[in-house]
Amino acid sequence: MRLYVVGVGPGDPELITLKGLKILKDTPLIFYPTGGKETLALSIIKKVIPLEEKRLVELYFPMQRVEELSPHWEDLTERISAYLSDTRTGAFITLGDPAFYSTFFYLQSFIEKRGIEIEIIPGIGSFSGFSASLKIPLALHREEVVITNAGSFLKSPQKYLSFDTIVLMKTHRFTKEIRDFARTYGYTGFTGKRIGQDFEKIWYNLSEVDEDELDYFTLVILKKL
């Protein structure tokens, strides 16, 4: 049995890789993660492949401490294994690139213990899509770049001062703190919400960001002046 883990990009279905698209067209079985509602990943692939003849399987990933969820991962693995025993191949879709904050990797060790082969198909991350929209590089020549989540960054922001570019994910609750850091240490900041999606919005100045408009899919790129 084989499970493909396919990154479907930040939102624009034309940013799905050719390999990822071929797998999604060929496989009869698609798993999609949710937190209780349809995922963005599923809404993206609906625009490029017909899903009427696919078997779609929702996998619920609760918002709890990961270390407390081993029994739940076992249950999800049991479901995946049962479905794959019929089709032999399937795809697990995830927003962006599987290597960045993908729920799949909580399951990886459990799935591999079942003897299921896993193949990871990379996708375009939201930060790559955002830098393309801004028409700015994340790094040039000997510049250094770091990608992290805003909560961890703000615990000790001074340790990031050596980086020319700081990419912050999950920033929607930390707008003021990020703005203060940028002002204090000489960074210019760009904020992007739902990059590549229908409700994309970009702010080119941190002082103009409307916090009420932000959500989980918000990121910030900070560049040294």
Side-chain angles (χ1 to χ4, degrees):
M1 296 186 289
R2 179 182 291 266
L3 180 66
Y4 296 95
V5 184
V6 181
V8 299
D12 183 347
E14 292 186 350
L15 294 179
I16 300 174
T17 66
L18 291 174
K19 185 172 184 178
L21 184 60
K22 182 180 186 303
I23 289 169
L24 293 174
K25 286 180 176 179
D26 291 345
T27 186
L29 173 64
I30 296 176
F31 299 98
Y32 64 100
T34 74
K37 57 184 179 181
E38 182 184 59
T39 65
L40 283 168
L42 188 61
S43 68
I44 291 168
I45 68 170
K46 279 182 176 180
K47 298 175 182 177
V48 289
I49 62 171
L51 298 180
E52 293 79 11
E53 297 182 2
K54 303 288 187 184
R55 181 178 292 185
L56 302 176
V57 180
E58 176 183 346
L59 300 176
Y60 177 65
F61 286 76
M63 300 297 289
Q64 295 174 227
R65 292 173 63 87
V66 173
E67 58 269 22
E68 299 172 354
L69 290 172
S70 289
H72 186 70
W73 305 145
E74 290 279 12
D75 290 343
L76 291 187
T77 301
E78 182 65 37
R79 292 190 67 201
I80 291 170
S81 180
Y83 279 102
L84 286 176
S85 66
D86 291 334
T87 62
R88 310 308 297 175
T89 62
F92 181 106
I93 57 173
T94 182
L95 193 66
D97 179 87
F100 284 90
Y101 302 109
S102 171
T103 49
F104 168 78
F105 282 99
Y106 298 134
L107 295 177
Q108 181 181 14
S109 62
F110 296 91
I111 291 173
E112 289 176 334
K113 288 177 183 176
R114 297 292 185 100
I116 298 171
E117 293 184 44
I118 294 172
E119 183 173 343
I120 308 293
I121 312 302
I124 295 174
S126 59
F127 51 88
S128 294
F130 191 24
S131 67
S133 295
L134 293 171
K135 299 182 178 66
I136 62 171
L138 292 178
L140 283 175
H141 192 44
R142 295 181 179 178
E143 292 178 348
E144 294 184 278
V145 59
V146 62
I147 303 168
T148 187
N149 69 83
S152 297
F153 165 76
L154 289 168
K155 289 178 181 177
S156 53
Q158 288 78 12
K159 75 179 185 180
Y160 295 92
L161 291 175
S162 64
F163 292 96
D164 302 279
T165 302
I166 303 172
V167 179
L168 299 175
M169 315 290 286
K170 307 177 184 180
T171 63
H172 58 299
R173 295 193 181 98
F174 306 104
T175 300
K176 180 183 182 302
E177 293 87 342
I178 294 170
R179 184 188 301 128
D180 290 344
F181 171 87
R183 184 183 298 118
T184 301
Y185 296 105
Y187 284 82
T188 185
F190 307 92
T191 302
K193 169 189 171 185
R194 293 183 175 259
I195 297 301
Q197 301 169 26
D198 292 337
F199 299 101
E200 174 184 292
K201 186 163 184 178
I202 294 174
W203 290 267
Y204 292 87
N205 191 320
L206 290 175
S207 65
E208 297 174 355
V209 175
D210 184 348
E211 296 179 43
D212 293 334
E213 291 191 52
L214 306 183
D215 62 17
Y216 178 83
F217 299 101
T218 302
L219 71 160
V220 171
I221 293 177
L222 299 175
K223 298 281 289 184
K224 270 188 180 175
L225 297 174

